[in-house]
Amino acid sequence: MELNQLTIHELKEKLLSREITSVDIVESVFNRIDQVEGKVHAYISLLREDALRGAAGADQKIQEGAGGELCGIPVALKDILCTKGVKTTCGSRILQNFIPPYDATVVEALRRAGAVFVGKANMDEFAMGSSTETSYFGVTRNPWALDRIPGGSSGGSAAAVAADECIASLGSDTGGSIRQPAALCGVVGMKPTYGRVSRFGLIAFASSLDQIGPFTKDVEDCAIMMNVIAGYDPKDSTSVPQDVPDYRAFLNRDIAGWTVGIPREYFRDGMDPEVSAAVKKAIAVVEDQGARCIDISLPHTDYCVAVYYIVAPAEASSNLARYDGVKYGYRAENCRDLLDMYKKTRSEGFGAEVKRRIMLGTYALSSGYYDAYYKKASQVRARIKEDFAEAFKRCDVILTPTSPTPAFKIGEKTEDPLQMYLSDIFTISANLAGIPGISVPCGYSGRGLPVGVQFLAGHFEEGKLLQIAHNYERHAHIERRRPEL
Amino acid sequence: MEYEPVIGLEVHAQLLTKSKIFCGCSTEFGAMPNSHTCPVCLGLPGVLPVLNKKVVEYAMKMAMATHCRINEMSSFARKNYFYPDLPKGYQITQYALPLAEGGYVDVETEAGRKRIGLTRIHMEEDAGKLVHDEHLPSSYVDLNRTGVPLIEIVGEPDIRSAEEAAAYLRRLHEILVYLEICDGNMEEGSFRCDANVSLRPKGQEIFGIRTELKNMNSFRNVQRALDYEIKRQEYILESGGEVVQETRLWDDTQGVTLPMRSKEEAHDYRYFPDPDLVSIRVDETWIREVEGTIPELPLEKRERFIREYEIPPYDAGILTTSKALAEYYEDVVKVCGKPKIAANWVMGDLLRFVNEDRGDIRTCSISAVSLGDMINLIEEGTISGKMAKDLIQDMYETGKPPRAIIEEKGLVQITDEDALTGIIVDVIRANPTQLAQYRSGKDKLFGYFVGQVMKATQGKANPQLINELLKKKLDQA
Amino acid sequence: MGYRGIASVSKNTGVRALTERKWKKRKENKVKIRKEEVEYVAHLARLEFGEEETEKFTLQLNDILTYIDKLNQAETTGVSPMTHAMPLVNAFREDTVISSLSNESSLANAPETRGSSFRVPKVIE
């Protein structure tokens, strides 16, 4: 077994027993990168020298008996996370040469924990997308089938973990951008409760929906990563001052007596049969472990995508106004005057999907339309949140498919934005309500493409998610395959 | 047709917090460009704002001092537009739920006292500075000022003349300065005013078309600009024309308002609640706390001075121009118990010294206790009023208390009648011609004799006593 | 457009199928946003598009806005708009000065500078 194929907890053991060094791990990861990155293209930039230096430093710490929970572990960062002194592009031409003078809070946390940064992972431009096809820096391919998408917008972060090009990674999730790629790439991905993880340093897409979360190879690793990144940050006004439990304490527990809600709106006739089959198996596993699955209703489910595609673009249109060529980033050449500079810079700097969403958002907020669109959407959003609050009175967690289909082909949905938006149908609701969610591999399609099952829980109940996810993982006996690269 | 001006003023006041509203950069004026800037106020990707609690407190103070109702819940909104001095492409301000609403201030004009309503007071961030190159097609952006906290005070359109407007501004200004939340410097831009002006036929309720006036950087200019604009609109209306709704800039050199050169497009600011900031909740406890820190305000202080000290409004006005001066005056009164006399000395010699020095009353070398004591000495008769004039000069130059100087220089007033009589007799004897002239009816020469006695006593004789005794002796045949 | 819709669509995503669906919709529904409005919104957002791109955007935005119309079916009388996921209040910081970035750092990513300022094409006022 290559070191790059192991998990954080497996590697930690070997590091602590001095069987291996961090440099060994990093070298193994970069060997893998050399082998497959040309095919997968998970990264926008690689930090080979920094990583080796970091690994040497980590080894020193381990020698001294110091070193945090991630000491010596190579991790990838979605290129949406500001990394001091390191180019951070957000997948966009408009930030192609931007070097932040500061670290995002989660990046600081990972540093403190001793993590070693492998590189900045590819993503849909400004996190707007479900396929990682809109990056200015090229498409990322699903390691399981190179002619298919890895999901998005955190496609690079998911693919890197799936292809063993890093041990774990961070992504961001605004409408499913961690959970959906996790499902499509066969890895574990979690979106924490809104406010659980600091957004300071996360390049903003939709402020009231964005959250940072981990991609890992198994649920135990997810708990380890959550321990490091969760917590109150005074630099983020929306960060919640709530204590962080030891998430590892929720592992290896049983779920006998739990009630698992199966929302009927997420399981209608006509669902992709392969997804349907895999998720039904997951339900059986969970029941087998003593949980009781009940039918619940989330009556406003049909409105989720519509609400999201007003609220998110509206906030994004405002968040992206700062990209104007004045203080940083791309500036167009040969501009007649200021207005020309603004228009050329933004039109040349942003890709089509970003422009489309800025247009949608600007329209939704504009005079005369605010009430009909943004206000209305915000009201329906309140209803959606209520749906979950009601549901969680009757069940501990909710179980749903993560993605309506396994990975689709590259280019398959790029001509029809609305179609692309509908691939977020199962994940969007959690962002709207602010609740946490996790996607765990639950099988493969006939073609050998991964399928994921999603668990949702109430606010700040990441522990519950990890508990049931870990229990499921241990008892589902999903065949552990590797992508053939 | 008689037209009535309808004026509503919008005042922006920079708050005197140490750090900016949403980040920890310094608010100090005059630093090198872009050196009081951080990722947050530069609007770098990924940053988030965190509200400075002091800004809320200062805003609350102003709200309370102007009788506003403080909303228990208020929140921030984004005002979206593109401009180089606005790094995020939006300004964080308050829109639907401001901190305070519905207050008033009372102003005094020639016509008497009038109450001007306040619509609202809200918090927002300032923008940066844009400087234009004179020769090159370039403008330069300095973002030091972005994020400096402002309160915007929106007045009701209750003002009916330029004079009233100036009085209203002065009132707001003195309250802000008294509260020590703003330094009120119009030239430096820490106190700014925009005006909305329209005219309507007297008796009509509906407002006329209004113009917005900007770029008035002193109280005088506000009054001049309004006077001009009112006349300008009047002329248009009387000629049967229509006032164009537009923004006009006051041109100080030409003394006119001019429409802004750039084509004024109606801005669609697309206000929406800022998702990066949470709501502000002001409860009764917090209100009580802040209320306790509000000093007596200028209007109330003036009225109390007039009442308690029985001094005329003019005096009260001068003595309350600053909180420090008012405190000084009251300390003097505490020591000497003579408010009117104290007022004269403070408004006269003392203020002269302070102004000459361009100093601060608080650092004046004559302490309030010293001045009060000096007044006591006059009342006791130890020194004369005239002597005090010299004494106060000494006090100013040396910083020593009056009794110490008197002792050093032996300046005790001569009040011994016998001694004085003796000197008077000597003076009379030494001036026989004048004596004869006086006795033959030239009353004016009395002053001459007084002067001679003063000289002989080195000014130390009690003037009243001199007059008394001198008269006696001169009339004695 | 329930999940029945998605399943059938995901099997039917050839370009011709797409165009047919679009024509059907256009006949059924009103146009949601016109080209002039798209141009106005583009200006508000400081974006500019060529003829073709404007047309394409107009079509796509119409599709999306038509879909979003379903929100009108949701009952929301008396519901407070949800602006924050968590009901937090009073997230404050103290009024202390923290050191800023140096002028050099502040300008480090600037496309154009002059001295210690950012340089932009002249702004007419």
Side-chain angles (χ1 to χ4, degrees):
Chain A
M1 247 250 197
E2 295 290 331
L3 290 180
N4 59 46
Q5 296 174 331
L6 300 179
T7 62
I8 298 174
H9 55 94
E10 287 165 344
L11 289 166
K12 282 289 287 183
E13 234 184 273
K14 293 186 196 286
L15 279 169
L16 289 172
S17 66
R18 308 285 197 271
E19 193 188 320
I20 58 170
T21 65
S22 171
V23 171
D24 292 333
I25 308 174
V26 170
E27 279 176 351
S28 172
V29 163
F30 274 97
N31 279 340
R32 180 64 173 169
I33 287 173
D34 289 337
Q35 277 171 10
V36 304
E37 174 61 7
K39 298 182 205 164
V40 177
H41 185 46
Y43 288 98
I44 292 177
S45 44
L46 286 165
L47 302 168
R48 196 181 296 252
E49 271 110 54
D50 283 345
L52 286 166
R53 246 198 313 271
D59 284 327
Q60 177 80 346
K61 281 230 157 76
I62 295 171
Q63 288 282 358
E64 293 162 7
E69 316 90 285
L70 293 174
C71 197
I73 305 292
V75 164
L77 299 169
K78 183 178 183 181
D79 208 15
I80 197 173
L81 294 167
C82 285
T83 316
K84 187 173 180 175
V86 175
K87 199 166 57 138
T88 301
T89 69
C90 219
S92 179
R93 182 186 196 188
I94 220 167
L95 285 179
Q96 62 186 346
N97 289 314
F98 176 66
I99 299 181
Y102 76 100
D103 270 334
T105 299
V106 295
V107 172
E108 269 176 9
L110 288 177
R111 272 194 219 276
R112 263 197 316 273
V116 171
F117 299 132
V118 177
K120 307 305 290 295
N122 199 18
M123 52 182 282
D124 276 307
E125 189 183 1
F126 280 102
M128 299 184 195
S130 314
S131 61
T132 313
E133 290 176 284
T134 67
S135 170
Y136 179 67
F137 302 97
V139 169
T140 295
R141 294 162 183 282
N142 192 317
W144 296 89
L146 294 174
D147 62 339
R148 291 182 183 258
I149 52 108
S153 59
S154 313
S157 302
V161 174
D164 297 315
E165 292 188 79
C166 66
I167 306 303
S169 67
L170 286 186
S172 70
D173 190 315
T174 306
S177 293
I178 288 176
R179 293 160 288 149
Q180 184 251 30
L184 268 43
C185 289
V187 297
V188 174
M190 171 178 262
K191 179 198 90 67
T193 309
Y194 184 85
R196 176 79 284 186
V197 176
S198 168
R199 288 186 301 119
F200 189 80
L202 170 70
I203 298 179
F205 160 18
S207 317
S208 76
L209 303 167
D210 293 342
Q211 267 293 281
I212 298 168
F215 286 98
T216 55
K217 299 184 190 186
D218 67 10
V219 176
E220 182 172 352
D221 277 5
C222 183
I224 295 172
M225 290 290 279
M226 282 298 293
N227 275 352
V228 175
I229 64 173
Y232 171 66
D233 181 14
K235 297 209 282 273
D236 175 356
S237 300
T238 60
S239 169
V240 179
Q242 177 123 343
D243 286 336
V244 182
D246 178 2
Y247 289 118
R248 294 183 90 160
F250 293 92
L251 306 171
N252 296 307
R253 296 219 216 148
D254 65 44
I255 54 168
W258 278 37
T259 310
V260 175
I262 311 292
R264 64 182 86 120
E265 292 86 1
Y266 287 54
F267 287 89
R268 285 205 258 235
D269 292 338
M271 201 163 76
D272 182 302
E274 298 189 300
V275 169
S276 183
V279 173
K280 285 212 168 82
K281 275 210 205 113
I283 293 175
V285 170
V286 150
E287 279 178 323
D288 217 41
Q289 289 307 306
R292 188 173 61 103
C293 290
I294 60 167
D295 167 63
I296 60 165
S297 172
L298 296 169
H300 292 85
T301 298
D302 273 352
Y303 300 116
C304 287
V305 172
V307 169
Y308 178 82
Y309 279 99
I310 291 174
V311 172
E315 293 178 7
S317 71
S318 178
N319 284 328
L320 268 60
R322 66 191 64 196
Y323 304 106
D324 57 9
V326 174
K327 311 127 346 235
Y328 47 77
Y330 176 82
R331 182 191 285 199
E333 316 226 309
N334 302 318
C335 299
R336 286 190 306 272
D337 54 28
L338 185 70
L339 183 61
D340 196 36
M341 185 195 93
Y342 279 151
K343 291 191 170 182
K344 278 210 173 68
T345 295
R346 291 164 63 78
S347 304
E348 290 169 17
F350 289 136
E353 183 57 38
V354 169
K355 286 191 272 199
R356 191 166 20 247
R357 297 207 196 184
I358 290 176
M359 293 287 284
L360 198 48
T362 306
Y363 181 76
L365 290 174
S366 65
S367 165
Y369 293 110
Y370 177 85
D371 279 3
Y373 288 112
Y374 190 79
K375 183 166 174 223
K376 181 75 179 178
S378 304
Q379 287 173 306
V380 180
R381 186 178 174 184
R383 287 265 191 250
I384 293 167
K385 188 179 177 193
E386 268 165 39
D387 279 1
F388 281 104
E390 278 308 303
F392 287 122
K393 285 183 188 159
R394 300 177 52 215
C395 60
D396 293 287
V397 297
I398 291 172
L399 186 160
T400 80
T402 310
S403 167
T405 64
F408 45 89
K409 287 227 171 85
I410 291 172
E412 193 175 314
K413 302 200 179 180
T414 45
E415 283 313 297
D416 196 346
L418 191 54
Q419 273 316 298
M420 189 70 86
Y421 298 167
L422 291 167
S423 23
D424 295 329
I425 210 130
F426 298 135
T427 48
I428 270 180
S429 53
N431 300 85
L432 294 174
I435 58 173
I438 190 171
S439 179
V440 180
C442 71
Y444 302 90
S445 75
R447 277 205 192 84
L449 298 169
V451 176
V453 63
Q454 173 178 239
F455 296 101
L456 301 170
H459 295 113
F460 298 102
E461 299 203 309
E462 284 83 354
K464 273 204 174 131
L465 290 180
L466 291 164
Q467 186 166 339
I468 192 168
H470 194 237
N471 185 287
Y472 168 77
E473 189 185 62
R474 277 180 302 134
H475 296 103
H477 304 301
I478 306 295
E479 191 193 334
R480 191 81 203 272
R481 300 183 196 172
R482 304 218 89 84
E484 281 160 33
L485 281 164
Chain B
M1 172 105 74
E2 234 202 299
Y3 288 102
E4 168 183 69
V6 173
I7 299 169
L9 298 180
E10 267 171 36
V11 167
H12 286 88
Q14 268 184 0
L15 297 178
L16 286 172
T17 54
K18 295 199 280 264
S19 60
K20 295 186 178 181
I21 185 172
F22 295 119
C23 68
C25 289
S26 164
T27 54
E28 237 180 84
F29 185 80
M32 169 170 106
N34 299 301
S35 62
H36 283 168
T37 44
C38 73
V40 177
C41 54
L42 284 171
L44 294 193
V47 298
L48 296 170
V50 184
L51 181 59
N52 180 340
K53 192 176 181 188
K54 256 254 146 40
V55 173
V56 185
E57 280 176 15
Y58 283 7
M60 284 166 71
K61 277 190 175 177
M62 189 57 181
M64 287 188 244
T66 52
H67 317 103
C68 291
R69 177 187 73 250
I70 295 183
N71 289 324
E72 192 186 347
M73 298 298 291
S74 70
S75 60
F76 286 99
R78 294 189 185 178
K79 178 180 182 180
N80 299 280
Y81 65 97
F82 287 87
Y83 208 64
D85 68 1
L86 195 67
K88 295 189 294 293
Y90 59 85
Q91 178 199 29
I92 300 179
T93 176
Q94 294 191 292
Y95 182 67
L97 290 170
L99 180 74
E101 294 175 279
Y104 63 86
V105 287
D106 290 327
V107 304
E108 236 126 69
T109 60
E110 304 226 329
R113 181 175 280 209
K114 180 169 172 180
R115 180 156 291 186
I116 310 285
L118 294 189
T119 318
R120 51 187 273 159
I121 296 179
H122 70 248
M123 303 172 281
E124 58 186 32
E125 54 177 355
D126 207 346
K129 270 212 181 88
L130 206 51
V131 170
H132 309 295
D133 196 304
E134 275 187 38
H135 311 290
L136 301 169
S138 298
S139 297
Y140 308 110
V141 186
D142 171 15
L143 296 176
N144 278 351
R145 208 182 61 175
T146 25
V148 168
L150 299 174
I151 43 172
E152 180 172 334
I153 304 166
V154 181
E156 290 282 324
D158 293 343
I159 296 173
R160 297 284 171 269
S161 73
E163 193 208 346
E164 260 173 45
Y168 169 81
L169 282 179
R170 287 201 174 84
R171 169 74 75 239
L172 285 185
H173 185 273
E174 74 176 0
I175 295 175
L176 286 166
V177 173
Y178 250 69
L179 292 173
E180 291 176 327
I181 61 178
C182 175
D183 66 23
N185 190 325
M186 269 188 107
E187 280 84 46
E188 271 176 18
S190 61
F191 183 86
R192 301 169 218 159
C193 171
D194 295 331
N196 289 304
V197 193
S198 67
L199 255 45
R200 68 180 173 192
K202 242 200 169 109
Q204 183 181 293
E205 264 203 56
I206 305 173
F207 289 156
I209 304 211
R210 63 167 187 196
T211 58
E212 194 188 352
L213 299 186
K214 288 181 179 281
N215 200 39
M216 303 165 292
N217 67 351
S218 68
F219 292 134
R220 192 168 151 267
N221 276 332
V222 171
Q223 198 162 348
R224 288 174 68 207
L226 286 170
D227 273 327
Y228 174 83
E229 183 62 16
I230 290 168
K231 285 203 189 75
R232 185 190 76 90
Q233 289 193 15
E234 199 161 21
Y235 180 76
I236 293 174
L237 294 174
E238 304 252 271
S239 322
E242 252 186 48
V243 173
V244 175
Q245 178 166 353
E246 59 188 351
T247 304
R248 297 176 74 88
L249 301 175
W250 169 247
D251 183 320
D252 195 21
T253 20
Q254 293 188 65
V256 298
T257 63
L258 298 166
M260 283 181 75
R261 257 188 297 155
S262 65
K263 183 165 165 262
E264 255 290 297
E265 41 180 52
H267 286 282
D268 187 344
Y269 291 119
R270 289 158 275 133
Y271 288 100
F272 72 104
D274 194 326
D276 289 331
L277 290 164
V278 299
S279 298
I280 304 158
R281 184 164 172 269
V282 177
D283 61 12
E284 276 307 306
T285 324
W286 198 4
I287 290 184
R288 297 280 150 261
E289 253 176 60
V290 175
E291 210 169 25
T293 65
I294 295 181
E296 184 183 33
L297 293 172
L299 185 62
E300 284 72 36
K301 201 186 276 288
R302 271 196 289 281
E303 290 175 347
R304 180 170 65 79
F305 278 17
I306 295 170
R307 234 180 18 248
E308 256 180 54
Y309 300 133
E310 291 175 6
I311 55 177
Y314 177 78
D315 292 16
I318 302 213
L319 293 169
T320 56
T321 37
S322 80
K323 199 150 63 117
L325 183 60
E327 265 168 34
Y328 186 94
Y329 168 70
E330 293 207 89
D331 285 342
V332 173
V333 173
K334 273 196 200 99
V335 174
C336 71
K338 295 263 180 268
K340 184 59 186 144
I341 296 179
N344 290 339
W345 281 103
V346 173
M347 291 190 309
D349 290 79
L350 191 81
L351 267 186
R352 184 169 47 85
F353 289 141
V354 171
N355 288 333
E356 260 169 26
D357 220 17
R358 235 146 345 136
D360 194 339
I361 182 89
R362 286 171 285 203
T363 55
C364 183
S365 45
I366 304 177
S367 73
V369 171
S370 289
L371 185 57
D373 205 24
M374 188 194 87
I375 295 171
N376 283 339
L377 286 168
I378 302 172
E379 293 306 300
E380 285 162 23
T382 313
I383 54 170
S384 68
K386 186 175 184 309
M387 288 167 76
K389 283 271 176 192
D390 295 327
L391 179 59
I392 201 174
Q393 184 75 33
D394 276 336
M395 283 161 68
Y396 178 62
E397 278 160 21
T398 64
K400 292 192 183 153
R403 288 182 202 259
I405 299 176
I406 283 177
E407 231 186 87
E408 268 172 43
K409 295 199 170 169
L411 286 177
V412 181
Q413 188 173 223
I414 300 176
T415 49
D416 183 321
E417 285 201 24
D418 290 330
L420 199 48
T421 309
I423 297 176
I424 287 174
V425 166
D426 286 340
V427 164
I428 291 178
R429 242 194 237 131
N431 293 281
T433 335
Q434 288 86 343
L435 177 63
Q437 287 177 317
Y438 178 76
R439 289 230 173 107
S440 69
K442 277 223 170 119
D443 291 332
K444 273 202 188 136
L445 283 171
F446 187 81
Y448 170 78
F449 280 105
V450 172
Q452 291 302 304
V453 173
M454 280 291 193
K455 222 165 85 183
T457 60
Q458 289 160 312
K460 289 195 244 175
N462 183 305
Q464 265 142 294
L465 206 51
I466 296 180
N467 286 356
E468 238 184 76
L469 299 172
L470 189 57
K471 194 117 203 331
K472 251 204 266 178
K473 280 288 162 202
L474 286 174
D475 291 343
Q476 235 175 25
Chain C
M1 206 194 196
Y3 304 104
R4 196 182 299 275
I6 291 176
S8 54
V9 157
S10 70
K11 288 184 190 136
N12 225 359
T13 50
V15 174
R16 194 185 298 153
L18 217 64
T19 322
E20 273 169 29
R21 267 202 339 277
K22 279 203 177 90
W23 270 114
K24 193 159 172 277
K25 250 195 264 170
R26 190 119 316 122
K27 279 190 274 184
E28 287 169 352
N29 306 314
K30 297 179 289 182
V31 169
K32 293 260 125 208
I33 180 172
R34 294 196 155 65
K35 192 155 157 273
E36 302 78 58
E37 274 185 289
V38 170
E39 285 166 350
Y40 170 66
V41 172
H43 175 66
L44 275 184
R46 296 303 185 261
L47 293 170
E48 63 186 4
F49 304 115
E51 247 333 283
E52 230 181 274
E53 241 189 320
T54 309
E55 297 247 355
K56 196 162 160 213
F57 264 132
T58 310
L59 286 176
Q60 289 173 339
L61 288 176
N62 263 294
D63 275 353
I64 298 167
L65 290 172
T66 305
Y67 176 78
I68 280 171
D69 249 5
K70 62 161 59 200
L71 282 187
N72 293 326
Q73 295 158 33
E75 172 53 54
T76 54
T77 8
V79 178
S80 282
M82 176 178 165
T83 46
H84 287 97
M86 295 290 138
L88 296 169
V89 292
N90 293 353
F92 295 138
R93 39 171 279 273
E94 292 302 310
D95 186 30
T96 40
V97 174
I98 302 172
S99 62
S100 308
L101 288 176
S102 66
N103 176 261
E104 211 186 310
S105 293
S106 300
L107 297 177
N109 284 287
E112 272 189 77
T113 59
R114 162 107 168 217
S116 42
S117 302
F118 300 92
R119 190 236 146 231
V120 295
K122 192 173 204 168
V123 182
I124 320 283
E125 273 191 330

Coordinates of all heavy atoms in Angstrom, one line a residue, chain B residues 12 19 39 44 76 90 104 112 119 149 154 216 258 267 285 379 418-419 444 474:
Chain B
H12 N -23.5 64.5 7.9 CA -22.6 63.3 8.2 C -21.6 63.8 9.2 O -20.9 64.7 8.9 CB -21.9 62.8 6.9 CG -22.9 62.1 6.0 ND1 -23.6 62.7 5.0 CD2 -23.2 60.8 5.9 CE1 -24.3 61.8 4.4 NE2 -24.1 60.6 4.9
S19 N -10.5 53.5 16.5 CA -10.4 52.6 15.3 C -11.6 52.7 14.4 O -12.7 53.3 14.8 CB -10.2 51.2 15.8 OG -11.3 50.7 16.6
P39 N -6.7 44.3 5.3 CA -7.5 43.6 4.3 C -9.0 43.9 4.4 O -9.6 44.0 3.3 CB -7.2 42.1 4.7 CG -5.8 42.1 5.2 CD -5.7 43.4 5.9
L44 N -10.4 43.4 0.4 CA -9.7 42.2 -0.2 C -10.7 41.1 -0.3 O -11.6 41.0 0.5 CB -8.5 41.8 0.6 CG -7.3 42.8 0.6 CD1 -6.1 42.1 1.1 CD2 -7.0 43.4 -0.7
F76 N -27.8 46.4 9.5 CA -27.0 47.0 8.5 C -27.5 46.5 7.1 O -27.9 45.4 7.0 CB -25.5 46.7 8.6 CG -24.9 47.5 9.7 CD1 -24.7 47.0 11.0 CD2 -24.5 48.9 9.5 CE1 -24.1 47.7 12.0 CE2 -24.0 49.6 10.5 CZ -23.8 49.0 11.8
Y90 N -19.7 48.4 -2.5 CA -20.9 48.7 -1.7 C -20.5 49.4 -0.4 O -19.4 49.2 0.1 CB -21.8 47.5 -1.4 CG -21.1 46.4 -0.6 CD1 -21.1 46.4 0.8 CD2 -20.6 45.3 -1.3 CE1 -20.5 45.4 1.5 CE2 -20.0 44.3 -0.6 CZ -20.0 44.3 0.8 OH -19.4 43.3 1.5
Y104 N -35.7 65.5 17.7 CA -35.8 67.0 17.3 C -34.7 67.8 18.0 O -34.1 67.3 18.9 CB -37.2 67.5 17.7 CG -37.4 67.5 19.2 CD1 -36.9 68.6 20.0 CD2 -38.1 66.5 19.8 CE1 -37.1 68.5 21.4 CE2 -38.3 66.4 21.2 CZ -37.8 67.5 22.0 OH -38.0 67.4 23.3
G112 N -37.3 83.8 16.8 CA -37.6 83.1 18.0 C -37.1 81.7 18.0 O -36.3 81.2 17.2
T119 N -35.5 63.0 11.3 CA -36.1 61.8 10.8 C -35.5 60.6 11.3 O -36.1 59.7 11.9 CB -36.0 61.7 9.2 OG1 -36.3 63.0 8.7 CG2 -37.0 60.7 8.7
P149 N -15.9 55.6 11.0 CA -17.3 55.6 11.3 C -18.0 56.9 11.1 O -17.5 58.0 11.5 CB -17.4 55.2 12.8 CG -16.0 55.4 13.3 CD -15.1 55.5 12.2
V154 N -30.5 62.7 9.5 CA -31.4 63.2 8.5 C -32.5 64.1 9.2 O -33.2 63.6 10.1 CB -32.0 62.0 7.8 CG1 -33.0 62.5 6.7 CG2 -31.0 61.1 7.2
M216 N -20.7 72.2 0.4 CA -20.7 73.4 1.2 C -19.9 73.2 2.4 O -20.3 72.3 3.3 CB -22.2 73.8 1.6 CG -23.1 73.9 0.4 SD -24.8 73.9 0.8 CE -25.0 72.2 1.3
L258 N -24.0 75.1 -9.1 CA -23.9 74.7 -10.5 C -24.3 73.2 -10.6 O -24.0 72.4 -9.7 CB -22.5 74.8 -11.0 CG -22.0 76.3 -11.1 CD1 -20.4 76.2 -11.3 CD2 -22.6 77.0 -12.2
H267 N -29.5 56.6 -9.3 CA -28.8 55.4 -8.8 C -29.8 54.3 -8.4 O -30.7 54.6 -7.6 CB -27.9 55.7 -7.7 CG -26.6 56.5 -8.1 ND1 -25.6 55.8 -8.7 CD2 -26.3 57.8 -8.1 CE1 -24.6 56.7 -9.0 NE2 -25.1 57.9 -8.6
T285 N -31.0 48.3 29.7 CA -29.8 48.4 30.5 C -28.7 49.2 29.8 O -28.1 50.1 30.3 CB -29.3 47.0 30.8 OG1 -30.3 46.1 31.0 CG2 -28.4 47.1 32.0
E379 N -13.2 91.8 46.2 CA -14.4 92.0 47.1 C -14.0 92.3 48.5 O -14.6 93.1 49.2 CB -15.3 90.8 47.1 CG -15.9 90.5 45.7 CD -16.7 91.7 45.2 OE1 -17.6 92.2 45.9 OE2 -16.3 92.3 44.1
D418 N -6.2 107.2 57.5 CA -5.2 108.3 57.9 C -4.1 108.4 57.0 O -3.7 109.5 56.5 CB -4.7 107.9 59.3 CG -5.8 108.1 60.4 OD1 -6.7 108.9 60.2 OD2 -5.7 107.3 61.4
A419 N -3.5 107.2 56.6 CA -2.4 107.3 55.7 C -2.8 107.9 54.4 O -2.1 108.8 53.9 CB -1.9 105.8 55.5
K444 N -13.8 119.2 36.6 CA -13.1 118.1 35.8 C -11.8 117.8 36.5 O -11.3 116.7 36.3 CB -12.9 118.5 34.4 CG -14.1 118.2 33.5 CD -13.7 118.1 32.0 CE -14.9 117.9 31.2 NZ -14.9 118.8 30.0
L474 N -10.9 118.3 49.3 CA -10.9 119.4 48.3 C -12.0 120.4 48.6 O -11.9 121.6 48.4 CB -11.2 118.8 46.9 CG -10.0 118.1 46.2 CD1 -10.5 117.4 44.9 CD2 -8.9 119.1 45.9

